[in-house]
Amino acid sequence: MKAFPVDLPSGHRNWTVLDDDLRVVPIADQWLRFLRFGKSRAELTTKSYAGGLALYFRWCSETGREWKTAAPDLGLLMVWLKYQPASTDRGPAVVVRGPGAEPARRERRINGVLTSVRGLLSYAVSVNEAPRSILAQIYELADSSDLPLEAQGEGSGLFYRLRAHHRTQEPEADVDRASDEEVVAMFLACLNARDRLIVLLLARVGLRRGQVAGLRRTDCHLMADSQALGCDVPGPHVHVRRRQNSNRAWSKSKKAWTMPVDFLVTQAFDQYTDERHEILGAGGSDFLLVNLFRAPLGAPMSPEAIGELCDRLAKRAGLSRKVGPHMSRRAFGSNVSDAGGSMDEVQALLGQKHPSSPRPYLIPDKSRLREAIERVPSPRAFERHGES
């Protein structure tokens, strides 16, 4: 069993699942196509789900289970996922158990596989490919009492929801941001104007790498007045839109929004425009960011290329760790907050839908935390105040 990419004539890509005879698994292919084109999910989402389903079908095959009725044994699947290594060319790998055995997959990956399995089984029920009874085997009816207060709503009554039966406890991961010093070091390590613009679009505008790679030249209105372009938004800005792009760039936000930019981004854009024209003239793709230094010249950069660029810049700058695109986005959100930006301003600038969405992006600068501690009066100050 394996996940397999499907490149369509339109230039878009979807993912499917092939069995050991390289035949498409029909129900998996049907669900993944529904997600990609019926629900407008990102290609990377269907890629992740396809990989999870390939593991599920492999487990069913190796343990003699039918995929439609294996839901009661998902607890055993969790154990299998934790200790079963990937298959090799010499046949299935041997499961190694016992104290001290290194897990083959961590908790987050196991939960990702379980999410894809629940999605497939729920879809199979909806299209009459599996019995409805399996829903009670993968979900339980839960009330809202264990939700955070902000998620319970203003009413005093309980409401009910479906909660997954099978889920492993994930260790809480540290969420980190790029420091201002790291961003500056990466900016100074750039060898050309295009790469400097990319660093600023990530760290100074706060776009995701898929949104950066998906920008078109027509999205960039960098004049003080853009009415001549048919746009009434004042000041320099870029329009962030979700599209089906040939370079597989994807905006996670369904909603299009306008992002104001400052003079640093405008200056970097002007320098990049001159650099691009010197190399390509009036040619090249309508995408903003294109290949200038390797073939095919003028082709749009991919989101993966932007991630690789960040890795190279971190090494070239001599940083002690990798600083990925999303760490720069967190730095942007945190800097807006540190500068006095309200939560609704951060939410709007990050292009997020829910008021609570910016919270993971707000990581205060350590110097601000130090200043907050130093503002707290000492016990001696309380004592002197009492004596007076």
Side-chain angles (χ1 to χ4, degrees):
M1 298 289 178
K2 62 185 297 185
F4 192 80
V6 180
D7 290 320
L8 303 176
S10 62
H12 303 147
R13 172 176 285 185
N14 189 34
W15 287 78
T16 191
V17 178
L18 303 182
D19 63 19
D20 294 336
D21 296 321
L22 301 182
R23 294 175 299 189
V24 171
V25 179
I27 187 63
D29 185 68
Q30 185 178 346
W31 182 55
L32 292 169
R33 280 190 286 111
F34 170 72
L35 287 178
R36 184 75 172 97
F37 305 112
K39 304 291 287 184
S40 296
R41 296 293 180 87
E43 178 215 331
L44 290 178
T45 300
T46 57
K47 178 182 180 180
S48 176
Y49 283 168
L53 294 183
L55 287 169
Y56 175 64
F57 286 115
R58 177 185 157 200
W59 171 70
C60 290
S61 175
E62 292 185 6
T63 60
R65 288 178 168 86
E66 170 63 35
W67 70 265
K68 298 180 182 181
T69 57
D73 296 332
L74 290 186
L76 297 176
L77 170 63
M78 294 168 67
V79 176
W80 185 89
L81 289 170
K82 186 172 184 179
Y83 294 109
Q84 174 69 52
S87 294
T88 65
D89 294 337
R90 294 167 297 194
V94 177
V95 175
V96 179
R97 299 183 181 87
E102 185 69 18
R105 298 171 187 85
R106 299 293 178 180
E107 291 83 358
R108 184 175 181 180
R109 176 57 177 152
I110 293 173
N111 282 335
V113 174
L114 292 172
T115 297
S116 63
V117 171
R118 286 191 294 267
L120 173 77
L121 294 177
S122 299
Y123 176 79
V125 169
S126 71
V127 295
N128 297 319
E129 289 289 335
R132 297 188 63 84
S133 59
I134 66 173
L135 292 178
Q137 296 164 356
I138 57 177
Y139 293 110
E140 62 179 328
L141 190 64
D143 60 47
S144 59
S145 60
D146 61 339
L147 292 176
L149 291 177
E150 57 268 22
Q152 293 186 22
E154 297 181 359
S156 57
L158 295 177
F159 64 86
Y160 293 90
R161 60 193 174 90
L162 292 179
R163 182 170 60 190
H165 270 304
H166 305 89
R167 185 172 182 83
T168 186
Q169 186 67 38
E170 296 183 30
E172 189 154 343
D174 291 333
V175 178
D176 203 359
R177 53 163 285 181
S179 69
D180 292 343
E181 293 76 13
E182 289 170 331
V183 171
V184 171
M186 292 173 66
F187 181 84
L188 295 176
C190 292
L191 302 179
N192 53 72
R194 184 201 63 184
D195 294 351
R196 289 193 290 271
L197 176 60
I198 291 174
V199 171
L200 291 179
L201 288 171
L202 294 170
R204 194 77 182 174
V205 185
L207 299 182
R208 301 174 188 272
R209 66 174 186 173
Q211 293 165 343
V212 171
L215 284 175
R216 309 294 178 90
R217 286 186 282 182
T218 52
D219 294 330
C220 304
H221 299 168
L222 302 180
M223 298 180 292
D225 187 341
S226 299
Q227 291 188 358
L229 302 174
C231 177
D232 294 329
V233 178
H237 61 276
V238 296
H239 293 272
V240 185
R241 300 181 174 96
R242 174 184 279 192
R243 297 184 179 96
Q244 295 283 356
N245 293 307
S246 59
N247 62 347
R248 297 195 289 276
W250 185 258
S251 174
K252 186 175 181 181
S253 175
K254 295 181 180 179
K255 180 183 177 181
W257 85 97
T258 302
M259 185 66 198
V261 299
D262 63 8
F263 75 98
L264 289 175
V265 177
T266 302
Q267 186 179 58
F269 181 89
D270 290 341
Q271 293 174 354
Y272 166 63
T273 300
D274 291 341
E275 179 181 77
R276 172 175 171 150
H277 189 269
E278 182 179 344
I279 297 173
L280 299 178
S285 168
D286 181 50
F287 283 83
L288 174 63
L289 300 166
V290 296
N291 293 340
L292 297 181
F293 311 104
R294 64 180 182 184
L297 291 179
M301 292 183 67
S302 68
E304 292 76 17
I306 291 175
E308 293 167 1
L309 170 65
C310 289
D311 289 344
R312 291 197 303 273
L313 292 177
K315 291 180 181 178
R316 194 181 300 153
L319 302 183
S320 60
R321 61 174 184 166
K322 290 184 177 181
V323 177
H326 214 71
M327 293 173 66
S328 296
R329 176 173 163 84
R330 295 193 194 105
F332 168 78
S334 298
N335 283 338
V336 171
S337 177
D338 287 344
S342 62
M343 185 70 76
D344 62 326
E345 289 172 337
V346 177
Q347 177 191 348
L349 291 173
L350 291 174
Q352 295 175 324
K353 180 179 179 181
H354 300 290
S356 61
S357 297
R359 293 191 183 278
Y361 293 85
L362 303 186
I363 306 170
D365 185 84
K366 289 181 173 59
S367 64
R368 187 161 70 88
L369 296 178
R370 171 59 59 186
E371 292 170 1
I373 289 296
E374 291 175 350
R375 289 197 300 268
V376 178
S378 68
R380 287 190 176 183
F382 286 123
E383 184 178 346
R384 287 196 299 270
H385 179 73
E387 290 175 354
S388 62

